[in-house]
Amino acid sequence: MSRAPVMTLDGPGGAGKGTLASALARELGWWLLDSGALYRLVGLLALRRGLDAGRSQDLDAAVTASRNLDLIFEPDTGAGQRVWLDGEDVTDAIRTDAVSGAASQWAVQPSIRQALLARQRDFAVPPGLIADGRDMGTVIFPEADLKLYVTATARERADRRFAQLSGMRVDANLDRIYREILERDARDASREVAPLKPADDAHVIDTTGESVAASLARVRRLVREKGWI
Ligand code: DC
């Protein structure tokens, strides 16, 4: 059986890979795997069940729940991908700060990552897959046909997050956001399992000071070289 083409986008949060990934998935008509959403679903379930990542019996329960996630990623028609868990639309629920915090705690657990591994590979079906995450090109799809590592300076990512929160009329402090981003970068890059780093064969796309349209145009050139558009 011929395997479906896979394109991976990895990189830190706020670098713009989610925006690029969903635009590409729509343009190519391919499936989109937002792997961060999987870790967020685990975080949400764990919070709701009162599970604590530091307790071994809770970790066992979370691993079982991760293996059996009853989820639906609705195809994105332009307004963003909607995510369903156990028949409930949790698209907004998985974006809260509490769930972000829980997701990052569970994401460092090797047994949780292992439980989600086959699940993620199952997304690679025709006509093709755009996989967005931290370890898509390094661990989940090492044989991917095209790998991108999308990044931007911490300062730029802080500015973007600040503008986004201000637009949502959420009170935000730019300095604090910047410090949190630096801390998270250090944690993500130094963790033992699937640390955040570019795959050896990844194209590094630095989006600092660049519009989404300009980044997309650069990525489109790589996609065109593959003959996908
Ligand atoms: O990209 P995001 O913010 O939705 O990711 C949520 C959390 O999951 C974040 O802490 C990083 C982690 N994550 C991961 O460890 N591996 C992935 N492939 C995707 C996300």
Side-chain angles (χ1 to χ4, degrees), residues 53 77 106-107 150 162 182 185 215 217 219:
T77 52
W106 292 99
V150 184
F162 181 72
L182 288 182
D185 281 0
S215 305
V219 174

Side-chain angles (χ1 to χ4, degrees), residues 13 17 34-37 39-40 95 100 103-104 107 113 120 132-136 184 188 191:
K17 70 190 148 62
D34 173 4
S35 60
Y39 290 96
R40 289 172 179 276
R95 299 291 155 194
S100 299
S104 78
R113 303 196 74 87
Q120 296 178 77
D132 164 352
R134 304 290 193 281
D135 61 344
M136 298 294 99
R184 200 173 322 138
D188 285 351
R191 74 177 179 211

Side-chain angles (χ1 to χ4, degrees), residues 10-219:
D10 290 306
K17 70 190 148 62
T19 308
L20 291 175
S22 52
L24 288 166
R26 275 202 308 276
E27 204 165 315
L28 292 166
W30 288 8
W31 299 101
L32 173 65
L33 167 61
D34 173 4
S35 60
L38 288 177
Y39 290 96
R40 289 172 179 276
L41 288 172
V42 173
L44 178 68
L45 264 181
L47 278 178
R48 286 183 172 176
R49 296 186 190 171
L51 301 177
D52 174 346
R55 289 169 37 144
S56 72
Q57 66 270 44
D58 286 7
L59 180 57
D60 290 347
V63 166
T64 305
S66 302
R67 250 191 235 116
N68 299 314
L69 284 178
D70 176 7
L71 67 94
I72 297 174
F73 284 153
E74 240 178 59
D76 179 8
T77 52
Q81 188 174 53
R82 299 211 75 80
V83 183
W84 296 73
L85 178 66
D86 295 325
E88 176 192 347
D89 183 343
V90 294
T91 312
D92 298 327
I94 60 170
R95 299 291 155 194
T96 65
D97 282 345
V99 171
S100 299
S104 78
Q105 276 177 14
W106 292 99
V108 300
Q109 300 290 338
S111 52
I112 295 286
R113 303 196 74 87
Q114 184 63 32
L116 294 176
L117 193 129
R119 203 50 187 267
Q120 296 178 77
R121 291 192 177 146
D122 285 347
F123 277 82
V125 289
L129 176 69
I130 306 288
D132 164 352
R134 304 290 193 281
D135 61 344
M136 298 294 99
T138 49
V139 178
I140 309 295
F141 301 109
E143 309 291 328
D145 304 86
L146 180 58
K147 300 180 184 179
L148 305 185
Y149 187 81
V150 184
T151 188
T153 61
R155 196 38 91 187
E156 170 104 1
R157 287 182 282 132
D159 287 343
R160 288 179 191 168
R161 180 70 183 150
F162 181 72
Q164 186 188 34
L165 289 173
S166 305
M168 289 157 54
R169 295 177 186 282
V170 175
D171 225 358
N173 176 308
L174 182 57
D175 258 358
R176 210 187 63 220
I177 293 173
Y178 177 60
R179 276 201 311 277
E180 283 170 359
I181 285 178
L182 288 182
E183 279 166 24
R184 200 173 322 138
D185 281 0
R187 202 163 56 227
D188 285 351
S190 65
R191 74 177 179 211
E192 252 164 63
V193 274
L196 179 61
K197 60 163 196 231
D200 292 337
D201 49 350
H203 298 264
V204 176
I205 306 283
D206 188 338
T207 67
T208 307
E210 193 174 67
S211 67
V212 173
S215 305
L216 195 53
R218 276 205 288 158
V219 174

